[in-house]
Amino acid sequence: LAKTTQPISMDSYEGQEVNITCSHNNIATNDYITWYQQFPSQGPRFIIQGYKTKVTNEVASLFIPADRKSSTLSLPRVSLSDTAVYYCLVGPRGNAGKSTFGDGTTLTVKP
Amino acid sequence: KAGVTQTPRYLIKTRGQQVTLSCSPISGHRSVSWYQQTPGQGLQFLFEYFSETQRNKGNFPGRFSGRQFSNSRSEMNVSTLELGDSALYLCASSLSAGIDTEAFFGQGTRLTVV
């Protein structure tokens, strides 16, 4: 199983862009990178998923360098409601048992 | 469309008892995965079911078991409860197996063992 390392916590201010980096040095060739967001007392919510280069959707962008040993989740113009825990998962598609949630990054957005 | 429904939301049990938790996935989803979340261990994978078959099982003792029915609803059972089983139990449903392609989580069942 690929092990992931993220910062434990990050602070930001409303309106700023936030970048959260995840290290996954032992990523396998068929592994994908997926990010989830979790609010207190709720289940995680899917944000974005990618394999290489850059992926963008309506809420975030995911940057993956060529060696794929790390990835960066980018949240543009955060608001107070983006305060949550963000998890990076690495694993092959179609196999939940091989995708491990790390410790997550607690993002606190301040006014 | 309706989201993932987990019942009950809260549960208090005594050590040694057994408990059954239920998860109704989004209509049309055939995959259900279960997770245990605790402050100390984080989110840990329990098992994954797809079309009534257990595809994967996490590193949990045999006291933890589960099943999936033909309508994709899933249940997990914990027997001989221990204090350390107190946790938030989450299930996730997705169209295909795995949680890497937009899985949807329920709000969880908060189990307290006293």
Side-chain angles (χ1 to χ4, degrees), chain B residues 17-21 34-38 44-49 54 56-67 75-90 111 113:
Chain B
Q17 287 186 313
Q18 68 97 26
V19 67
T20 299
L21 312 181
W34 287 88
Y35 292 81
Q36 180 196 64
Q37 186 170 32
T38 59
Q44 292 191 290
F45 171 76
L46 279 159
F47 14 70
E48 177 187 13
Y49 289 90
Q54 186 180 91
N56 293 287
K57 190 175 193 300
N59 189 24
F60 279 82
R63 301 184 296 108
F64 291 80
S65 62
R67 58 179 175 168
E75 289 181 347
M76 66 164 281
N77 184 279
V78 188
S79 62
T80 320
L81 284 166
E82 300 177 0
L83 295 179
D85 296 333
S86 294
L88 180 67
Y89 289 88
L90 293 157
L111 172 64
V113 182

Side-chain angles (χ1 to χ4, degrees), chain A residues 36 38 44 87 93-96, chain B residues 37 48 55-56 97 99-100 105:
Chain A
Y36 277 83
Q38 186 178 26
Y87 293 97
R93 274 186 162 172
N95 193 329
Chain B
Q37 186 170 32
E48 177 187 13
R55 297 185 74 247
N56 293 287
I99 64 163
D100 44 83
F105 280 80

Side-chain angles (χ1 to χ4, degrees), chain B residues 5-8 20-24 34 73-76 91 109:
Chain B
T5 303
Q6 291 188 247
T7 56
T20 299
L21 312 181
S22 179
C23 173
S24 293
W34 287 88
R73 189 177 71 85
S74 178
E75 289 181 347
M76 66 164 281
C91 83
T109 294

